Amino acid sequence: MIRCRTYINAFVTWLETGRRWRCNICAQLNECPAPYFCHLDEEGRRRDRDQRPELSEGIVEFIAPSEYMVRPPQPPSYFFVIDVSATSVKSGMLKSVAAAISKSLDDLPGAPRTQVGFLTYDESVHYYSLKSGLANPQMLVVADLVELFVPAPDDLLVNLQESREVVDIFLQNLPSMFENNTSEAACLGPALKAAFTVTKHIGGKMCVFQSVLPTLGDGALTPRENNQIMGTPDEVKLLRPSVNWYKDTAIEFSRAQISVDMFLFPRAYIDVASLSELPKITAGTLHTYPGFNHNIDGHRFESELSRVLTQTTAFEAVMRIRCTRGMRINNFYGNFFVRGSDLLALPNCTSDSVFAFDLVHDEPNVTSSVVTVQSALLYTSSEGERRIRVVTQAIPVSSIGSEVIQSVDSDAVAALLAKQALDISIKSNLDNARVKLQQVCADLIRASKEGDKPRTVSGYAAPPMQQHHQSDDEIKSTPENLKLLPLYTLGLIKNVAFRGGTDVHPDERVHAMHRLLNMSVTDSKHFIYPRMFSLHDMGSSAGLPSNSEPSSEDDENVAGPDRIELPRVLNLTVDRLTSDGIFLLDNGLDMYLWVGRSSDSALLNSLFGTNSLEGSDMSQVKLFTSGNDFASRLNAIVTSLRENDTEQSLVAKVTIVREGDHGLESRFFWHLIEDRASFNGGTYSYSDFVQFVESSGSKGGMPPAAGPPGGPRGIPPPGPPGPPGPPGPPSHHGGVPTQRAQYSGIQPPSMNQGPPPPNQMRGPPPPGPPPGQQQYGAPTPGPPSSGPPSSGTRMHMGPPSGGPPPPGPPSYGQQHGQYGAPPVRRFVPFVSVIFRNKFNSYLKLHHFRGHRRGKWVIVDHR
């Protein structure tokens, strides 16, 4: 490590037979210490590079010396703060919490050093002494919320192994301890202060379970729902915290190395915007379960809580990201607290943690052939070892604009745009966020058509470029790797995090924003553009393990470690629904099973044990997971979509939507993003939006600040539609859509069908403002303006014939084997990067692939 504090890595340059080396971050020339010296080979590389992981791998871990420790590594600590009000008891939340914690105790990281503690609260705070040797846990109640004190502080956070019997007894009795509780209030603020007092000396993970709006003591909140401002620019007021208490408390928690994972179970307004400051600033997570019912939602919640508790976790972490001189990190996105200007404080960092940042120019030109980005994560492992995880990425740069455009990954761009738009929506309003999404999409498409024309980037003029002759057709053609960007942008505009209208509850929107902010690239793609599977006509191999050899080409056609084959994927439009069909829609968080009224009675009997759902009480209808071939294969599909490369697989909740059930159907139709939505800024279908983007790109225009009265802001009135494609068989089997019929001479991403007429309104109309308080999680009333017809009639006669194959993996300029080739004049217009920590595998750099993504290894240089 040198003046710029960069760690030695595989991309430094060695000089003078290995006695000196040049830093690839700050370009400083440094002497090589004698014990580290090694001769160079004929190519100027160290002869021992393959024996030194830090010189041959992109990701390494160093054992940190003592000077990296402010205090000795602390044992992992898990403290549970549980709302025991009457609402929590009646919903079955207490029962599910106790069951999930009990099931996870054996797998908590850090054994035998792990410590645990519990605190419950309603109108008062209840401590529990779990000292080993006690026959039963002792409950200590403090009713004074102003002069709160902590009794028996030494016995409230105990070693799990030593006090295991007492902990088991407590969890076994917890659901029945408060079964007669009549208190509807909860003093969350005082409970958090009490929990902080108990755990501040050690830090760790704090799990908070809340069912009602906290109205007592510090941090008390008041209902502030206002239906009059829903769907207006003032709606952003409901998306911002109403008090600063939770933000100030979260900062204090972060300084004490305490991370908060918050689980909310609202049946009415609970002000998620204010409460979410705790997990956001302390690098925790937020989970909500509206209208929680133990029998319906219990398995999903328990699986998510078990995953949070048992996944590999780094404690007491901080992270800093450095980049090559001439570039700078502009913004960070994710859950963290920034110390100083660039140090991210992460009390907990897990395998699900995701961080994103913008990389922009700090100087007019970049003289090096690559831009290096290096992140260093200093953390304490669950075994009590202080480590430094160093990730170094060398990104090729180019003076040719077309090369930069060709390196763009639409999936990564969409994920980062979502995080940038979330920042805008809170600082400004949702309208501006949607306009920003439209503008960036149109600008990028336009830039891709301009070829290598001179331009200014990040406020600087690009250096002279090589001139390449391009025909008009080449200039107007959208690169293959950008064909899906308009689709993803439209999906973002109509996503629950950004969509307009009055039918999105503010708590639901804030939760969606929080989850989207912390999603990886793959998760973001599925959340932005959900997958809709056709089940009634799925092949005989769907739902069974695939016999094909693993390859990157069929990753979207299989799921889970068993490589379960997935059914055919349809594009997201109501035209694809048929009354004789059954369809599964998955956005990564929620699943919907849409059942047509004319579905095959044999299939209905296999799934639900009835020949028809007409007249059935849907709250009593259960989805079979076994007992017959069709149910077993569907269960395998559902399960595989929630499995990943860790042992803590999640359980999916499948909401059954019966055709004609207008409340649930309206929510289902939210996800059909290719149809027109009925809110300001979302009235364009996919084909209309493609025309807008393409026309903006070809004319060099920008989205206007406002449209005509009654029209969507940022989008001009729709023009004449392009011709629909001819009918033909679907050509897509899983994954993202392939190419569709041409519009205005270009080929937008295909969704396997011809576009609907732009004047055909599809999906549900906006419901009127609900009277009184809207129940959070309740289905939105009001029938859709159109839907699938009855009697099994298909809405659409068929998709167009297959176009070109789906866009393949984009080229990222200089390939792995070409690193070190003679550079030309280099220039980086703009780079956006997303990190995801995988502590059980490695830290992934999603945006740029193919450069030094080696395995991580541990290096002990003590």
Side-chain angles (χ1 to χ4, degrees), residues 565-619:
E565 288 198 19
L566 300 177
R568 181 168 54 102
V569 174
L570 305 176
N571 51 303
L572 299 177
T573 171
V574 73
D575 286 354
R576 305 302 288 166
L577 302 179
T578 60
S579 289
D580 60 352
I582 301 176
F583 304 87
L584 177 69
L585 188 144
D586 174 34
N587 68 356
L589 297 182
D590 303 299
M591 286 189 182
Y592 297 89
L593 187 66
W594 189 90
V595 182
R597 60 168 57 96
S598 301
S599 299
D600 189 330
S601 59
L603 294 182
L604 294 180
N605 193 60
S606 298
L607 294 179
F608 311 110
T610 180
N611 293 330
S612 175
L613 294 182
E614 293 300 319
S616 300
D617 182 0
M618 296 305 295
S619 63

Short mmCIF file of all heavy atoms in Angstrom, two decimals, residues 565-619:
data_model
loop_
_atom_site.label_atom_id
_atom_site.label_comp_id
_atom_site.label_asym_id
_atom_site.label_seq_id
_atom_site.Cartn_x
_atom_site.Cartn_y
_atom_site.Cartn_z
N GLU A 565 -36.24 -27.13 -15.66
CA GLU A 565 -36.65 -26.48 -16.89
C GLU A 565 -37.89 -25.62 -16.65
O GLU A 565 -38.83 -26.04 -15.97
CB GLU A 565 -36.94 -27.53 -17.97
CG GLU A 565 -35.70 -28.19 -18.52
CD GLU A 565 -35.96 -28.89 -19.86
OE1 GLU A 565 -36.98 -28.56 -20.51
OE2 GLU A 565 -35.15 -29.75 -20.22
N LEU A 566 -37.89 -24.42 -17.22
CA LEU A 566 -38.98 -23.48 -17.04
C LEU A 566 -39.91 -23.52 -18.25
O LEU A 566 -39.49 -23.82 -19.36
CB LEU A 566 -38.43 -22.06 -16.86
CG LEU A 566 -37.50 -21.85 -15.66
CD1 LEU A 566 -36.98 -20.43 -15.65
CD2 LEU A 566 -38.22 -22.17 -14.35
N PRO A 567 -41.18 -23.20 -18.04
CA PRO A 567 -42.12 -23.15 -19.17
C PRO A 567 -41.81 -21.96 -20.08
O PRO A 567 -40.93 -21.15 -19.81
CB PRO A 567 -43.49 -22.98 -18.49
CG PRO A 567 -43.28 -23.29 -17.05
CD PRO A 567 -41.85 -22.97 -16.75
N ARG A 568 -42.58 -21.87 -21.14
CA ARG A 568 -42.43 -20.78 -22.11
C ARG A 568 -42.74 -19.44 -21.44
O ARG A 568 -43.71 -19.31 -20.69
CB ARG A 568 -43.38 -21.03 -23.27
CG ARG A 568 -43.34 -20.00 -24.38
CD ARG A 568 -44.11 -20.51 -25.59
NE ARG A 568 -45.46 -20.91 -25.23
CZ ARG A 568 -46.55 -20.17 -25.47
NH1 ARG A 568 -46.42 -19.00 -26.06
NH2 ARG A 568 -47.74 -20.61 -25.14
N VAL A 569 -41.91 -18.46 -21.71
CA VAL A 569 -42.09 -17.12 -21.18
C VAL A 569 -42.82 -16.25 -22.19
O VAL A 569 -42.48 -16.26 -23.38
CB VAL A 569 -40.74 -16.48 -20.81
CG1 VAL A 569 -40.91 -15.04 -20.38
CG2 VAL A 569 -40.06 -17.27 -19.71
N LEU A 570 -43.81 -15.52 -21.71
CA LEU A 570 -44.61 -14.64 -22.58
C LEU A 570 -44.28 -13.19 -22.29
O LEU A 570 -43.85 -12.84 -21.19
CB LEU A 570 -46.10 -14.89 -22.34
CG LEU A 570 -46.59 -16.34 -22.49
CD1 LEU A 570 -48.06 -16.43 -22.15
CD2 LEU A 570 -46.34 -16.85 -23.90
N ASN A 571 -44.52 -12.34 -23.29
CA ASN A 571 -44.35 -10.92 -23.04
C ASN A 571 -45.52 -10.39 -22.22
O ASN A 571 -46.59 -10.96 -22.15
CB ASN A 571 -44.22 -10.15 -24.36
CG ASN A 571 -45.31 -10.47 -25.34
OD1 ASN A 571 -45.50 -11.63 -25.69
ND2 ASN A 571 -46.03 -9.45 -25.77
N LEU A 572 -45.27 -9.27 -21.56
CA LEU A 572 -46.18 -8.77 -20.53
C LEU A 572 -47.27 -7.88 -21.13
O LEU A 572 -47.19 -6.64 -21.09
CB LEU A 572 -45.39 -8.02 -19.45
CG LEU A 572 -44.35 -8.87 -18.72
CD1 LEU A 572 -43.57 -8.03 -17.72
CD2 LEU A 572 -45.01 -10.05 -18.01
N THR A 573 -48.26 -8.49 -21.68
CA THR A 573 -49.42 -7.77 -22.19
C THR A 573 -50.66 -8.62 -21.98
O THR A 573 -50.59 -9.85 -21.97
CB THR A 573 -49.25 -7.45 -23.69
OG1 THR A 573 -50.48 -6.94 -24.21
CG2 THR A 573 -48.85 -8.68 -24.48
N VAL A 574 -51.79 -7.96 -21.81
CA VAL A 574 -53.03 -8.67 -21.59
C VAL A 574 -53.42 -9.50 -22.81
O VAL A 574 -54.19 -10.46 -22.70
CB VAL A 574 -54.16 -7.68 -21.21
CG1 VAL A 574 -54.59 -6.88 -22.41
CG2 VAL A 574 -55.34 -8.38 -20.56
N ASP A 575 -52.88 -9.15 -23.96
CA ASP A 575 -53.16 -9.92 -25.16
C ASP A 575 -52.69 -11.37 -25.05
O ASP A 575 -53.18 -12.23 -25.78
CB ASP A 575 -52.48 -9.28 -26.38
CG ASP A 575 -53.19 -8.01 -26.81
OD1 ASP A 575 -54.26 -7.72 -26.25
OD2 ASP A 575 -52.67 -7.31 -27.70
N ARG A 576 -51.75 -11.63 -24.21
CA ARG A 576 -51.22 -12.98 -24.07
C ARG A 576 -52.05 -13.84 -23.13
O ARG A 576 -51.84 -15.05 -23.06
CB ARG A 576 -49.77 -12.93 -23.57
CG ARG A 576 -48.85 -12.07 -24.41
CD ARG A 576 -48.79 -12.54 -25.84
NE ARG A 576 -48.05 -13.78 -25.97
CZ ARG A 576 -48.07 -14.55 -27.05
NH1 ARG A 576 -48.81 -14.19 -28.10
NH2 ARG A 576 -47.37 -15.65 -27.10
N LEU A 577 -52.96 -13.23 -22.39
CA LEU A 577 -53.83 -13.98 -21.49
C LEU A 577 -55.01 -14.55 -22.26
O LEU A 577 -55.58 -13.89 -23.13
CB LEU A 577 -54.34 -13.09 -20.35
CG LEU A 577 -53.28 -12.43 -19.47
CD1 LEU A 577 -53.95 -11.57 -18.40
CD2 LEU A 577 -52.37 -13.46 -18.81
N THR A 578 -55.39 -15.76 -21.93
CA THR A 578 -56.56 -16.38 -22.52
C THR A 578 -57.41 -16.97 -21.40
O THR A 578 -56.89 -17.41 -20.37
CB THR A 578 -56.17 -17.50 -23.50
OG1 THR A 578 -55.42 -18.51 -22.80
CG2 THR A 578 -55.33 -16.96 -24.64
N SER A 579 -58.70 -16.96 -21.60
CA SER A 579 -59.61 -17.45 -20.55
C SER A 579 -59.49 -18.95 -20.32
O SER A 579 -59.95 -19.45 -19.30
CB SER A 579 -61.06 -17.10 -20.91
OG SER A 579 -61.27 -15.71 -20.78
N ASP A 580 -58.87 -19.66 -21.23
CA ASP A 580 -58.68 -21.09 -21.02
C ASP A 580 -57.25 -21.40 -20.56
O ASP A 580 -56.82 -22.56 -20.61
CB ASP A 580 -58.99 -21.88 -22.30
CG ASP A 580 -58.09 -21.48 -23.45
OD1 ASP A 580 -57.34 -20.49 -23.31
OD2 ASP A 580 -58.15 -22.15 -24.51
N GLY A 581 -56.54 -20.38 -20.11
CA GLY A 581 -55.14 -20.56 -19.74
C GLY A 581 -54.88 -20.34 -18.26
O GLY A 581 -55.70 -19.78 -17.52
N ILE A 582 -53.70 -20.78 -17.83
CA ILE A 582 -53.20 -20.57 -16.47
C ILE A 582 -51.79 -20.02 -16.61
O ILE A 582 -50.96 -20.60 -17.31
CB ILE A 582 -53.19 -21.89 -15.66
CG1 ILE A 582 -54.60 -22.47 -15.57
CG2 ILE A 582 -52.65 -21.65 -14.26
CD1 ILE A 582 -54.65 -23.83 -14.87
N PHE A 583 -51.51 -18.90 -15.93
CA PHE A 583 -50.26 -18.20 -16.11
C PHE A 583 -49.64 -17.86 -14.75
O PHE A 583 -50.34 -17.45 -13.83
CB PHE A 583 -50.47 -16.91 -16.92
CG PHE A 583 -51.12 -17.14 -18.25
CD1 PHE A 583 -52.51 -17.16 -18.37
CD2 PHE A 583 -50.36 -17.33 -19.39
CE1 PHE A 583 -53.12 -17.38 -19.59
CE2 PHE A 583 -50.96 -17.54 -20.62
CZ PHE A 583 -52.34 -17.57 -20.72
N LEU A 584 -48.32 -18.02 -14.66
CA LEU A 584 -47.58 -17.70 -13.45
C LEU A 584 -46.70 -16.50 -13.72
O LEU A 584 -45.90 -16.50 -14.67
CB LEU A 584 -46.71 -18.90 -13.02
CG LEU A 584 -45.81 -18.67 -11.80
CD1 LEU A 584 -46.66 -18.54 -10.54
CD2 LEU A 584 -44.80 -19.81 -11.65
N LEU A 585 -46.85 -15.45 -12.90
CA LEU A 585 -46.04 -14.24 -13.05
C LEU A 585 -45.16 -14.08 -11.81
O LEU A 585 -45.64 -14.16 -10.68
CB LEU A 585 -46.94 -13.01 -13.23
CG LEU A 585 -46.23 -11.70 -13.58
CD1 LEU A 585 -47.08 -10.88 -14.54
CD2 LEU A 585 -45.95 -10.86 -12.33
N ASP A 586 -43.88 -13.86 -12.04
CA ASP A 586 -42.90 -13.76 -10.95
C ASP A 586 -42.03 -12.54 -11.16
O ASP A 586 -41.39 -12.39 -12.20
CB ASP A 586 -42.04 -15.02 -10.91
CG ASP A 586 -40.91 -14.92 -9.89
OD1 ASP A 586 -41.11 -14.28 -8.84
OD2 ASP A 586 -39.81 -15.46 -10.16
N ASN A 587 -41.99 -11.64 -10.14
CA ASN A 587 -41.11 -10.47 -10.22
C ASN A 587 -39.95 -10.55 -9.25
O ASN A 587 -39.27 -9.55 -8.99
CB ASN A 587 -41.91 -9.18 -9.97
CG ASN A 587 -42.42 -9.07 -8.54
OD1 ASN A 587 -42.24 -9.98 -7.72
ND2 ASN A 587 -43.06 -7.96 -8.21
N GLY A 588 -39.71 -11.73 -8.71
CA GLY A 588 -38.61 -11.91 -7.78
C GLY A 588 -39.00 -11.73 -6.33
O GLY A 588 -38.34 -12.27 -5.43
N LEU A 589 -40.07 -10.98 -6.06
CA LEU A 589 -40.57 -10.79 -4.70
C LEU A 589 -41.92 -11.46 -4.52
O LEU A 589 -42.16 -12.12 -3.50
CB LEU A 589 -40.69 -9.29 -4.37
CG LEU A 589 -39.40 -8.47 -4.36
CD1 LEU A 589 -39.72 -7.03 -3.97
CD2 LEU A 589 -38.38 -9.06 -3.41
N ASP A 590 -42.80 -11.29 -5.48
CA ASP A 590 -44.16 -11.83 -5.40
C ASP A 590 -44.44 -12.71 -6.61
O ASP A 590 -43.90 -12.49 -7.70
CB ASP A 590 -45.19 -10.68 -5.34
CG ASP A 590 -44.94 -9.74 -4.17
OD1 ASP A 590 -44.99 -10.21 -3.02
OD2 ASP A 590 -44.69 -8.55 -4.42
N MET A 591 -45.32 -13.67 -6.40
CA MET A 591 -45.78 -14.53 -7.50
C MET A 591 -47.30 -14.47 -7.57
O MET A 591 -47.98 -14.46 -6.54
CB MET A 591 -45.33 -15.97 -7.29
CG MET A 591 -43.87 -16.23 -7.55
SD MET A 591 -43.51 -18.01 -7.54
CE MET A 591 -41.75 -17.98 -7.80
N TYR A 592 -47.81 -14.44 -8.80
CA TYR A 592 -49.24 -14.42 -9.05
C TYR A 592 -49.58 -15.57 -10.00
O TYR A 592 -48.92 -15.75 -11.01
CB TYR A 592 -49.69 -13.10 -9.66
CG TYR A 592 -49.46 -11.90 -8.78
CD1 TYR A 592 -48.27 -11.19 -8.82
CD2 TYR A 592 -50.46 -11.45 -7.91
CE1 TYR A 592 -48.05 -10.09 -8.01
CE2 TYR A 592 -50.25 -10.35 -7.10
CZ TYR A 592 -49.05 -9.68 -7.16
OH TYR A 592 -48.85 -8.59 -6.35
N LEU A 593 -50.61 -16.32 -9.64
CA LEU A 593 -51.09 -17.40 -10.50
C LEU A 593 -52.45 -16.97 -11.03
O LEU A 593 -53.45 -16.99 -10.31
CB LEU A 593 -51.21 -18.71 -9.72
CG LEU A 593 -51.54 -19.95 -10.54
CD1 LEU A 593 -50.41 -20.29 -11.49
CD2 LEU A 593 -51.83 -21.14 -9.62
N TRP A 594 -52.48 -16.55 -12.31
CA TRP A 594 -53.73 -16.07 -12.94
C TRP A 594 -54.43 -17.27 -13.58
O TRP A 594 -53.83 -17.99 -14.39
CB TRP A 594 -53.41 -15.01 -13.98
CG TRP A 594 -54.61 -14.31 -14.53
CD1 TRP A 594 -55.19 -13.16 -14.06
CD2 TRP A 594 -55.36 -14.69 -15.69
NE1 TRP A 594 -56.25 -12.80 -14.85
CE2 TRP A 594 -56.40 -13.73 -15.85
CE3 TRP A 594 -55.28 -15.74 -16.58
CZ2 TRP A 594 -57.32 -13.79 -16.89
CZ3 TRP A 594 -56.20 -15.83 -17.62
CH2 TRP A 594 -57.20 -14.85 -17.76
N VAL A 595 -55.68 -17.46 -13.21
CA VAL A 595 -56.44 -18.62 -13.66
C VAL A 595 -57.64 -18.13 -14.47
O VAL A 595 -58.50 -17.40 -13.95
CB VAL A 595 -56.92 -19.47 -12.47
CG1 VAL A 595 -57.67 -20.71 -12.97
CG2 VAL A 595 -55.74 -19.88 -11.59
N GLY A 596 -57.70 -18.52 -15.74
CA GLY A 596 -58.82 -18.14 -16.59
C GLY A 596 -60.09 -18.88 -16.20
O GLY A 596 -60.06 -20.00 -15.69
N ARG A 597 -61.22 -18.24 -16.46
CA ARG A 597 -62.50 -18.82 -16.05
C ARG A 597 -62.86 -20.06 -16.84
O ARG A 597 -63.70 -20.85 -16.41
CB ARG A 597 -63.62 -17.77 -16.15
CG ARG A 597 -63.84 -17.20 -17.53
CD ARG A 597 -65.14 -16.40 -17.60
NE ARG A 597 -65.18 -15.35 -16.62
CZ ARG A 597 -64.84 -14.07 -16.87
NH1 ARG A 597 -64.41 -13.74 -18.08
NH2 ARG A 597 -64.93 -13.15 -15.95
N SER A 598 -62.24 -20.25 -18.00
CA SER A 598 -62.54 -21.42 -18.81
C SER A 598 -61.39 -22.42 -18.83
O SER A 598 -61.23 -23.19 -19.77
CB SER A 598 -62.86 -20.99 -20.25
OG SER A 598 -63.95 -20.10 -20.30
N SER A 599 -60.57 -22.40 -17.78
CA SER A 599 -59.42 -23.29 -17.72
C SER A 599 -59.87 -24.74 -17.68
O SER A 599 -60.98 -25.07 -17.22
CB SER A 599 -58.57 -22.97 -16.49
OG SER A 599 -58.08 -21.66 -16.53
N ASP A 600 -58.99 -25.61 -18.13
CA ASP A 600 -59.25 -27.04 -18.16
C ASP A 600 -59.59 -27.53 -16.76
O ASP A 600 -58.82 -27.32 -15.81
CB ASP A 600 -58.02 -27.77 -18.70
CG ASP A 600 -58.28 -29.24 -18.98
OD1 ASP A 600 -59.13 -29.84 -18.29
OD2 ASP A 600 -57.60 -29.80 -19.86
N SER A 601 -60.72 -28.18 -16.61
CA SER A 601 -61.16 -28.65 -15.30
C SER A 601 -60.19 -29.67 -14.72
O SER A 601 -60.03 -29.76 -13.49
CB SER A 601 -62.57 -29.24 -15.39
OG SER A 601 -62.60 -30.32 -16.32
N ALA A 602 -59.55 -30.45 -15.57
CA ALA A 602 -58.59 -31.44 -15.08
C ALA A 602 -57.39 -30.76 -14.44
O ALA A 602 -56.89 -31.19 -13.38
CB ALA A 602 -58.14 -32.35 -16.22
N LEU A 603 -56.93 -29.67 -15.06
CA LEU A 603 -55.81 -28.93 -14.48
C LEU A 603 -56.22 -28.26 -13.18
O LEU A 603 -55.45 -28.24 -12.20
CB LEU A 603 -55.30 -27.89 -15.48
CG LEU A 603 -54.66 -28.42 -16.76
CD1 LEU A 603 -54.17 -27.26 -17.62
CD2 LEU A 603 -53.52 -29.37 -16.45
N LEU A 604 -57.42 -27.68 -13.15
CA LEU A 604 -57.90 -27.06 -11.92
C LEU A 604 -58.00 -28.08 -10.80
O LEU A 604 -57.67 -27.79 -9.64
CB LEU A 604 -59.26 -26.40 -12.16
CG LEU A 604 -59.28 -25.20 -13.13
CD1 LEU A 604 -60.70 -24.67 -13.26
CD2 LEU A 604 -58.35 -24.11 -12.65
N ASN A 605 -58.47 -29.25 -11.12
CA ASN A 605 -58.58 -30.30 -10.11
C ASN A 605 -57.20 -30.74 -9.62
O ASN A 605 -57.03 -31.03 -8.43
CB ASN A 605 -59.34 -31.50 -10.68
CG ASN A 605 -59.75 -32.48 -9.61
OD1 ASN A 605 -60.49 -32.14 -8.68
ND2 ASN A 605 -59.28 -33.72 -9.72
N SER A 606 -56.22 -30.73 -10.51
CA SER A 606 -54.86 -31.09 -10.11
C SER A 606 -54.24 -30.05 -9.20
O SER A 606 -53.47 -30.38 -8.29
CB SER A 606 -53.98 -31.28 -11.36
OG SER A 606 -54.46 -32.32 -12.17
N LEU A 607 -54.58 -28.77 -9.43
CA LEU A 607 -53.96 -27.69 -8.66
C LEU A 607 -54.73 -27.32 -7.41
O LEU A 607 -54.13 -26.98 -6.38
CB LEU A 607 -53.81 -26.45 -9.54
CG LEU A 607 -52.84 -26.55 -10.72
CD1 LEU A 607 -52.83 -25.25 -11.51
CD2 LEU A 607 -51.43 -26.88 -10.24
N PHE A 608 -56.08 -27.36 -7.47
CA PHE A 608 -56.89 -26.85 -6.37
C PHE A 608 -57.88 -27.87 -5.81
O PHE A 608 -58.54 -27.58 -4.82
CB PHE A 608 -57.66 -25.60 -6.82
CG PHE A 608 -56.82 -24.58 -7.51
CD1 PHE A 608 -56.95 -24.34 -8.87
CD2 PHE A 608 -55.86 -23.86 -6.81
CE1 PHE A 608 -56.17 -23.40 -9.52
CE2 PHE A 608 -55.07 -22.91 -7.45
CZ PHE A 608 -55.22 -22.68 -8.81
N GLY A 609 -58.01 -29.02 -6.44
CA GLY A 609 -58.96 -30.01 -5.96
C GLY A 609 -60.40 -29.68 -6.28
O GLY A 609 -61.31 -30.17 -5.60
N THR A 610 -60.61 -28.83 -7.28
CA THR A 610 -61.96 -28.47 -7.70
C THR A 610 -61.97 -28.32 -9.22
O THR A 610 -60.94 -28.01 -9.82
CB THR A 610 -62.42 -27.17 -7.03
OG1 THR A 610 -63.75 -26.84 -7.47
CG2 THR A 610 -61.50 -26.02 -7.37
N ASN A 611 -63.13 -28.53 -9.82
CA ASN A 611 -63.24 -28.43 -11.27
C ASN A 611 -63.45 -27.00 -11.76
O ASN A 611 -63.36 -26.73 -12.95
CB ASN A 611 -64.39 -29.31 -11.78
CG ASN A 611 -64.10 -30.78 -11.58
OD1 ASN A 611 -62.94 -31.20 -11.60
ND2 ASN A 611 -65.15 -31.58 -11.38
N SER A 612 -63.77 -26.09 -10.85
CA SER A 612 -64.00 -24.70 -11.22
C SER A 612 -63.79 -23.80 -10.01
O SER A 612 -64.11 -24.19 -8.88
CB SER A 612 -65.41 -24.50 -11.78
OG SER A 612 -65.67 -23.14 -12.04
N LEU A 613 -63.26 -22.61 -10.24
CA LEU A 613 -63.08 -21.64 -9.16
C LEU A 613 -64.23 -20.65 -9.08
O LEU A 613 -64.26 -19.80 -8.18
CB LEU A 613 -61.77 -20.85 -9.37
CG LEU A 613 -60.47 -21.65 -9.27
CD1 LEU A 613 -59.27 -20.72 -9.46
CD2 LEU A 613 -60.37 -22.38 -7.94
N GLU A 614 -65.19 -20.74 -10.00
CA GLU A 614 -66.32 -19.83 -9.99
C GLU A 614 -67.14 -20.06 -8.73
O GLU A 614 -67.52 -21.19 -8.39
CB GLU A 614 -67.19 -20.05 -11.22
CG GLU A 614 -66.52 -19.68 -12.53
CD GLU A 614 -66.14 -18.21 -12.58
OE1 GLU A 614 -66.94 -17.38 -12.11
OE2 GLU A 614 -65.05 -17.89 -13.07
N GLY A 615 -67.38 -18.96 -8.02
CA GLY A 615 -68.17 -19.05 -6.80
C GLY A 615 -67.40 -19.51 -5.59
O GLY A 615 -67.97 -19.58 -4.49
N SER A 616 -66.12 -19.83 -5.74
CA SER A 616 -65.31 -20.31 -4.62
C SER A 616 -64.84 -19.14 -3.77
O SER A 616 -64.63 -18.02 -4.26
CB SER A 616 -64.10 -21.09 -5.13
OG SER A 616 -64.49 -22.20 -5.89
N ASP A 617 -64.71 -19.39 -2.47
CA ASP A 617 -64.10 -18.41 -1.56
C ASP A 617 -62.60 -18.50 -1.75
O ASP A 617 -61.96 -19.46 -1.30
CB ASP A 617 -64.50 -18.73 -0.12
CG ASP A 617 -63.93 -17.72 0.87
OD1 ASP A 617 -63.22 -16.77 0.44
OD2 ASP A 617 -64.19 -17.89 2.08
N MET A 618 -62.00 -17.50 -2.41
CA MET A 618 -60.59 -17.59 -2.76
C MET A 618 -59.68 -17.62 -1.55
O MET A 618 -58.55 -18.09 -1.63
CB MET A 618 -60.21 -16.42 -3.68
CG MET A 618 -60.93 -16.43 -5.02
SD MET A 618 -60.72 -17.98 -5.93
CE MET A 618 -58.96 -17.95 -6.25
N SER A 619 -60.15 -17.12 -0.41
CA SER A 619 -59.33 -17.18 0.79
C SER A 619 -59.18 -18.60 1.31
O SER A 619 -58.27 -18.90 2.09
CB SER A 619 -59.94 -16.29 1.89
OG SER A 619 -61.23 -16.77 2.28
#
